[in-house]
Amino acid sequence: SAEVFGKMDHLIFKKLWAWAKRCHPNKNRHWVASKYWLLKTRGWIFGIEGKITLHTMSDIPIRRHVTVQKQRSPYDGDAIYWSTRMGRHPEMPKSFAALLKWQNGNCPICGLFFKPGDKLTIRRPRGRIVGQKEKAILIHEHCQMLSEMEYA
């Protein structure tokens, strides 16, 4: 994608250059470049200093796509998988889905992955220590006793 973004930057530059030359047919290329590009401060960036600039496509961070596991579908009823992957699912409460994504589908108490059919519960910290911020966690119901000992 970096190569494609570089090509797109070049094509956008060519279109902008043709437009700028067409708008000012009686001016030379140095004048056109200094009027529309920030050559003295930032190089060949199209824009007006201090007001607005055109971002380049190559500045866009590359995000790798994680492929969907074989035989998976949003309609297969596996709300655990889709909530862990996307952070939302129509069959899962929003708070559960957000915690599943944040925890990468793991129970922090036992370390096991959540599976379809597991009973889940949200464990919120009871007493907060001044200056510390603890977040609620999603755990298996059978891990409830272990978490009560830990949070006590």
Side-chain angles (χ1 to χ4, degrees), residues 38 42 46-54:
L38 307 174
R42 295 181 53 203
F46 187 81
I48 301 168
E49 186 65 47
K51 292 186 179 178
I52 191 167
T53 59
L54 181 67

Side-chain angles (χ1 to χ4, degrees), residues 39-101:
L39 296 174
K40 292 179 182 161
T41 55
R42 295 181 53 203
W44 286 93
I45 303 293
F46 187 81
I48 301 168
E49 186 65 47
K51 292 186 179 178
I52 191 167
T53 59
L54 181 67
H55 293 283
T56 58
M57 299 286 287
S58 54
D59 289 342
I60 297 171
I62 297 170
R63 290 185 358 206
R64 302 288 178 212
H65 174 72
V66 179
T67 57
V68 176
Q69 292 178 355
K70 292 180 182 178
Q71 308 301 324
R72 296 286 188 164
S73 164
Y75 308 107
D76 65 0
D78 190 357
I80 301 280
Y81 173 79
W82 291 102
S83 296
T84 302
R85 182 179 169 84
M86 299 171 31
R88 59 186 163 81
H89 192 273
E91 297 173 3
M92 181 74 64
K94 287 183 182 180
S95 58
F96 279 39
L99 286 172
L100 273 168
K101 184 166 178 69

